[in-house]
Amino acid sequence: MSAADTSTAKVSPARPPAPPGTGQTARGRGGQGQRGVRRRRRGGGGAGLPWALLAPCLLVLLLVLGYPLARLVTLSFQKFGQPQLWGFQEPESVGFGNFTRILGDGEFWSVVVRTVVFAAGAVVLTMVLGMLIALLLQRVSGWVRTLINIALVASWGMPVIVATAIFKWLFDTDYGVLNWLLSRLPGVDMSGHNWFAGGPEGLTVIMLLVVWGAVPFVAITLSAGLTQVPRELEEAARLDGAGAWGVFRYVTLPVLKPIIVMLTTLSVIWDMGVFPQVFVMRGGHPEAEFQVLTTYSYDKAFVVNDYGGGSAIALVTVLLLLGVVAVYMRQMLRIGEAE
Amino acid sequence: MRAAGKPGKARGRLGWNLLGLLVFATAGFPVYWMLNTAFKPARDAIDPDPHFFPGTPTAENFSRALDVADFWGPVGRSLVVSLAVVAIGIVVGMLAALAISRFAFRGRKVVIVGILAVQMVPLVAMIIPVFLLLNDLGQYDRLTGLIITYLTFVLPFTVWTLRGFIVNIPRELEEAAMVDGCTRAGAFLRVVFPLLAPGMVATSVYAFIQAWNEYLYALMLMSQQNQTATVWLGNFTTKHGTEYAPMMAGATMMAVPIVILFLLVQRKMAAGLTAGAVKG
């Protein structure tokens, strides 16, 4: 933003940070003279004022995030179970014990693979369907667009837990409407089919649930983005002989890239962190072949009372996500610079 | 619309429209099925031949969910928590958003990146230490504890989206007001604040929905007696198995107000989010 750029330039970067509150009180000081007053008026402000504005936010985040994050790290290096929780015993350090135990466990690795496959499938499906629907929204008549928007917003606004309950009902073995509908197809008999008898099939249903809830955000955000694609660019590409795919590939996609990167990153983070969908769908006790990293860590900590091990799993999950976050952060940093 | 005169284009539009209707039906079906089941007599709900319309609509499921399953207790707690989180999140978030969008100061970029990074931390990773922290503070199974922890995800969100709305308000407006003799605070209150109000409303509604929807912390940090609406719905099973008809009635009561709120603000919100992403 140009307005922001100019004001940034006016503030000398070498200005020492002032204690909180000086931004206000400096007004009364005689020594600053005309320049100081004007600079403040133009949006520079005292260095203390922004920090004073930030202070409550930073304090809250430090308490609710900083402290637990630090505790998560220390916990993952400790033996911490029921006796430590009740204070009967001091937590003792076990070095990398929790990690070697977790990483040496074959089950952990199958959970990791399952989680990554699940998240990847959900993200790809969400992004592709979201993009297709966004493009479709540009091509349909106004009243169809309104109908689709209503359906999208309704499923977007559905609380996750409500959506999970609905899908549980749709896929019910005996009375689920889906089995009935599929059985109408010639040659198909799905009556009494249990969708959750096996992990892969059950997780596919959960993936559909996740995608159903996630597509609207992607579709609506992308279609808002599509309106910002300059018409002239598309026209020009068409005149140069580009087909529909060519226009999309070389004009639309590059313009939408920042939004797509943002949406993909958020989707990865959300889909790697899927918890209630699996947890509630399996009645609070996911079977071994339904475990994803979140439910696995939860089970370790709260079912087996191994808080150290659970923390180690959670920390590994965070590290896994860091790779994705790095891409997003670079994107966001560029925005921070542009501002 | 312009293409209406050309038959070829109109036919193309028809194909897209049919596809659009298919999308509408698919995306909307789960919602429809919730409503349909909620108004069905319980015995029709568990008919192997499903009824696609509630033949004799009834409110019996709603009264079961309200009376038998104690709807208002959990919903009341969810309301208290969500409203408190929004109130704190908007005030504190607003101050921080102002700081990072209207001031140039040393360390600003670090703060921006920090607030963004915080959004990346998966909630489930934090649950164990948060549980232990609240346990130590004596806030386990207390609404205040839940409110504090919900700020973890609501606060970064409000800061970031409010910032998106603020940067879209031209700074020149404030400067003009200050030239006309307003103080900085006065310029903000009289010029920026009214322009920001719709964005603030949208952000509040969104934050409210996030807090309202949260499940994991509510499950972990509250006991059975103090559960919130999401946990209440997740547990909607009796000793005879899941009672889907009352459950769908409960789901309807939980979801319909949220969806209506959502409908009111989503356009504003999508605009704000994309503007924030593209323009910064």
Side-chain angles (χ1 to χ4, degrees), chain A residues 8-336:
Chain A
T8 313
K10 271 180 208 120
V11 178
S12 136
R15 201 125 72 98
T22 40
Q24 288 295 342
T25 53
R27 195 168 311 235
R29 271 193 300 193
Q32 277 218 317
Q34 276 300 100
R35 253 198 90 221
V37 172
R38 199 178 64 221
R39 187 198 286 148
R40 206 167 41 241
R41 282 199 169 168
R42 280 307 194 76
L49 182 55
W51 284 110
L53 292 173
L54 278 171
C57 178
L58 296 180
L59 270 177
V60 172
L61 288 181
L62 210 64
L63 171 72
V64 296
L65 261 161
Y67 175 79
L69 259 183
R71 185 89 186 259
L72 178 73
V73 176
T74 55
L75 260 176
S76 62
F77 291 101
Q78 283 174 341
K79 181 179 163 59
F80 201 102
Q82 202 79 293
Q84 286 81 8
L85 178 64
W86 299 117
F88 300 141
Q89 239 172 295
E90 284 298 302
E92 58 179 290
S93 172
V94 291
F96 284 93
N98 287 324
F99 290 96
T100 47
R101 196 158 42 84
I102 298 295
L103 299 179
D105 184 357
E107 193 186 353
F108 171 75
W109 289 106
S110 57
V111 171
V112 170
V113 171
R114 187 179 304 128
T115 309
V116 170
V117 170
F118 176 87
V123 170
V124 170
L125 256 181
T126 305
M127 292 306 296
V128 170
L129 285 176
M131 178 56 96
L132 288 176
I133 291 176
L135 291 170
L136 181 68
L137 280 171
Q138 287 196 311
R139 283 162 179 75
V140 294
S141 313
W143 62 276
V144 180
R145 194 177 312 134
T146 308
L147 281 180
I148 297 178
N149 272 327
I150 290 173
L152 287 181
V153 174
S155 44
W156 185 7
M158 276 292 149
V160 169
I161 205 72
V162 172
T164 309
I166 299 173
F167 269 66
K168 210 173 164 184
W169 174 221
L170 289 174
F171 284 84
D172 186 83
T173 305
D174 299 314
Y175 306 111
V177 69
L178 202 89
N179 278 346
W180 183 88
L181 270 179
L182 288 174
S183 299
R184 296 306 101 188
L185 296 173
V188 183
D189 181 19
M190 297 292 272
S191 46
H193 177 74
N194 182 0
W195 290 89
F196 295 97
E201 193 176 316
L203 282 172
T204 308
V205 172
I206 296 174
M207 193 191 288
L208 287 180
L209 158 65
V210 171
V211 169
W212 179 76
V215 160
F217 173 59
V218 172
I220 290 174
T221 310
L222 282 177
S223 67
L226 280 173
T227 60
Q228 292 173 14
V229 177
R231 284 272 165 275
E232 311 83 64
L233 272 182
E234 292 182 336
E235 292 291 320
R238 228 167 267 130
L239 284 178
D240 288 346
W245 169 249
V247 173
F248 178 72
R249 171 72 187 78
Y250 295 105
V251 179
T252 316
L253 267 189
V255 176
L256 290 181
K257 199 182 154 211
I259 303 180
I260 294 175
V261 172
M262 175 191 81
L263 291 173
T264 311
T265 318
L266 288 176
S267 301
V268 171
I269 291 161
W270 289 336
D271 294 350
M272 286 283 288
V274 159
F275 180 86
Q277 292 94 327
V278 179
F279 188 81
V280 172
M281 207 57 128
R282 300 315 305 135
H285 306 284
E287 299 85 344
E289 72 271 41
F290 280 90
Q291 294 285 7
V292 288
L293 274 169
T294 52
T295 55
Y296 191 63
S297 154
Y298 174 91
D299 262 18
K300 265 277 182 292
F302 296 104
V303 178
V304 195
N305 285 315
D306 175 9
Y307 298 94
S311 299
I313 297 171
L315 204 60
V316 173
T317 314
V318 174
L319 291 177
L320 266 176
L321 278 172
L322 270 184
V324 181
V325 174
V327 179
Y328 184 67
M329 293 314 285
R330 266 187 50 205
Q331 175 86 19
M332 283 302 172
L333 261 180
R334 229 173 285 141
I335 291 171

Side-chain angles (χ1 to χ4, degrees), chain B residues 170-183:
Chain B
R171 191 186 287 256
E172 287 77 12
L173 290 177
E174 260 168 295
E175 286 170 2
M178 283 195 264
V179 168
D180 289 347
C182 272
T183 60

Side-chain angles (χ1 to χ4, degrees), chain B residues 188-198:
Chain B
F188 176 76
L189 281 178
R190 288 179 203 182
V191 180
V192 182
F193 195 74
L195 291 171
L196 196 57

Side-chain angles (χ1 to χ4, degrees), chain A residues 139 141 156 169 180 212 339, chain B residues 17 37 49 108 163 206:
Chain A
R139 283 162 179 75
S141 313
W156 185 7
W169 174 221
W180 183 88
W212 179 76
E339 209 180 281
Chain B
N17 280 346
T37 310
D49 261 333
R108 173 172 163 279
R163 173 208 143 277
Y206 243 66

